[in-house]
Amino acid sequence: MQHVLQAGLSAGLSAVSGFHSNSSPKVDPSFDGTASLMPQDWIPQQDSRITYKGKYKNVDAALISWGAWSWGDEATWHWQDEERKNLDPAWDVCKKTKQTFIDTAQAYGSGRSEGICGELVAGMNRDDYVLQTKWYVVPDSPANFKADAPETTLRESLKRTKIDQYDVYLVHGHIHARSIETVAKSLADCVENGLTKCVGVANYSADDMLQMRDELAKYGIPLAVNQVEFNVLRRFPESSGLLAKCKENGIVLQSYSSLAQGRLTGKYTAEREPPSSYRFSSYPMKDLKPTIDVLEAIGRERKVSTSAVALNYNLSKGISPVVGFRNAAQVEQNVQCLGWRLSLDEIKRIDEVSLEGKKTVLWQQG
């Protein structure tokens, strides 16, 4: 699965790879980026929680979700088994800072990521962590053409993770072979059979997201979340109106690639480009220097990491960031986004050097 996903991203599932141009326009200067801000007196804290709506029980989760794509994934992230030992002390930092929400997927590491998630949470009280996974939607096998594919594959995920129930289960993208109506029925079965508390989508456009909402409503089940790429280099979900639609309908908007696969951390430069397999917001680093310079300047002024500034930007817009880690130092850098809030002036400074990004009907529709 992991190799199919990487091959697809390189071919054009990513809006800046394959036959797509790796350039992006800036956001229209007339667009008001402050309209989507959270109330100015709201400060994201370690204790802050966001509610994912379920039919029988809601899920109250930390603001940060730890993206587990790299765990066990060789095709995109060049994972090596000796890295596994670094995750235990990193997870200890997560628990200490009350950020115990993990986002994984069936495709990540071809299931290995789900297994590692299970290892990390083993022995913990079930109410002390939140796990979210995603249905592998690519129609590359007869099994994924079946109407009950979401439910069947979720049962396999539960076995790999060694838990009885996921908290949140997403459709990974709108390239599934069956209709939204059919997929919604299987998601409803997942809820009714106790396999997950909440359900959602990823990479869905606003129209398709609302159609899924309506189909799930027939079973009395709310659509809890839509996960799309959002960061300073891809504000398309905001400028297109998707973020506003989510807020109007009580749907959480999660951002994956919240740090543009490391491009917004200060780790990479024009002389040290990210690996070519990091295909989201994969613009040449020389073109991103004005953006990085602003984030780094604010970080120095705030005495926080560059990563923290980029993540706080998402939080300030009312977006729950998904961000990866492979060691404790990265967790410590990322949690610096909590306990403070970017000022209106700082938001405007970042908006001025941000990019709009693009979409593709092949994957990144939202």
Side-chain angles (χ1 to χ4, degrees):
M1 289 186 284
Q2 59 180 299
H3 297 284
V4 173
L5 179 59
Q6 175 55 216
L9 291 173
S10 66
L13 291 184
S14 165
V16 292
S17 294
F19 59 86
H20 300 293
S21 167
N22 69 339
S23 62
S24 171
K26 289 190 174 183
V27 178
D28 187 334
S30 65
F31 180 78
D32 183 8
T34 66
S36 58
L37 290 175
M38 297 289 284
Q40 201 59 39
D41 61 352
W42 179 81
I43 307 294
Q45 304 285 1
Q46 290 185 6
D47 289 327
S48 299
R49 293 295 178 263
I50 188 167
T51 298
Y52 294 80
K53 296 179 180 178
K55 180 177 181 178
Y56 298 109
K57 187 176 182 179
N58 295 335
V59 173
D60 293 322
L63 297 178
I64 299 173
S65 177
W66 300 115
W69 185 5
S70 66
W71 303 351
D73 197 285
E74 300 172 3
T76 296
W77 295 96
H78 316 292
W79 175 267
Q80 298 179 1
D81 287 340
E82 55 263 31
E83 293 185 77
R84 172 63 186 85
K85 66 180 182 298
N86 298 328
L87 296 182
D88 294 315
W91 184 239
D92 287 339
V93 178
C94 297
K95 290 187 286 187
K96 182 179 179 180
T97 55
K98 304 177 183 179
Q99 305 302 303
T100 54
F101 180 9
I102 306 177
D103 167 80
T104 184
Q106 295 161 3
Y108 298 168
S110 302
R112 175 63 177 132
S113 174
E114 291 178 325
I116 292 173
C117 290
E119 294 169 6
L120 291 178
V121 303
M124 291 180 63
N125 185 306
R126 189 60 186 86
D127 292 332
D128 290 340
Y129 63 88
V130 173
L131 286 184
Q132 170 177 285
T133 195
K134 310 179 198 74
W135 170 42
Y136 176 70
V137 296
V138 180
D140 61 345
S141 70
N144 246 2
F145 283 83
K146 295 182 179 179
D148 64 349
E151 180 183 3
T152 300
T153 56
L154 180 54
R155 291 184 182 277
E156 295 169 357
S157 293
L158 290 167
K159 292 178 182 178
R160 283 190 291 268
T161 317
K162 297 181 180 179
I163 59 174
D164 296 325
Q165 183 184 54
Y166 264 90
D167 296 287
V168 191
Y169 186 42
L170 309 185
V171 179
H172 208 154
H174 189 196
I175 61 169
H176 38 79
R178 304 302 291 260
S179 67
I180 288 178
E181 179 182 11
T182 300
V183 172
K185 172 61 169 62
S186 187
L187 291 178
D189 289 341
C190 291
V191 173
E192 297 298 344
N193 291 327
L195 308 181
T196 184
K197 297 174 186 174
C198 305
V199 293
V201 295
N203 296 297
Y204 266 52
S205 68
D207 288 344
D208 291 341
M209 175 186 75
L210 295 178
Q211 183 183 348
M212 179 64 83
R213 175 205 61 182
D214 293 344
E215 291 298 331
L216 288 170
K218 296 176 181 178
Y219 306 96
I221 296 173
L223 180 69
V225 56
N226 189 2
Q227 185 186 111
V228 297
E229 183 190 1
F230 180 94
N231 55 55
V232 177
L233 307 180
R234 189 180 188 266
R235 290 177 59 200
F236 178 78
E238 180 186 9
S239 63
S240 68
L242 175 61
L243 175 57
K245 287 291 184 184
C246 286
K247 291 183 176 183
E248 290 169 8
N249 290 276
I251 299 169
V252 176
L253 187 72
Q254 288 181 345
S255 61
Y256 68 78
S257 194
S258 303
L259 298 176
Q261 295 189 299
R263 292 174 179 85
L264 300 177
T265 66
K267 177 179 181 179
Y268 299 112
T269 65
E271 294 72 37
R272 185 171 184 264
E273 293 278 352
S276 60
S277 58
Y278 294 8
R279 299 188 184 279
F280 291 117
S281 293
S282 55
Y283 308 112
M285 288 303 299
K286 63 180 178 60
D287 297 342
L288 304 181
K289 190 175 187 305
T291 307
I292 306 301
D293 285 349
V294 170
L295 296 178
E296 290 182 340
I298 295 174
R300 287 192 297 271
E301 295 161 8
R302 290 280 188 173
K303 294 182 172 55
V304 298
S305 66
T306 306
S307 304
V309 176
L311 295 173
N312 192 276
Y313 178 85
N314 287 23
L315 289 166
S316 296
K317 301 265 182 174
I319 297 168
S320 180
V322 179
V323 57
F325 69 78
R326 295 165 85 156
N327 56 59
Q330 291 175 341
V331 176
E332 291 166 351
Q333 291 170 1
N334 292 334
V335 296
Q336 290 177 26
C337 72
L338 302 172
W340 63 283
R341 172 76 181 276
L342 286 164
S343 69
L344 187 59
D345 177 67
E346 289 169 330
I347 290 288
K348 290 179 178 179
R349 286 168 61 189
I350 296 172
D351 280 351
E352 288 175 358
V353 294
S354 66
L355 300 180
E356 183 168 36
K358 297 174 289 187
K359 67 174 182 176
T360 168
V361 295
L362 298 177
W363 187 254
Q364 294 189 278
Q365 300 172 20

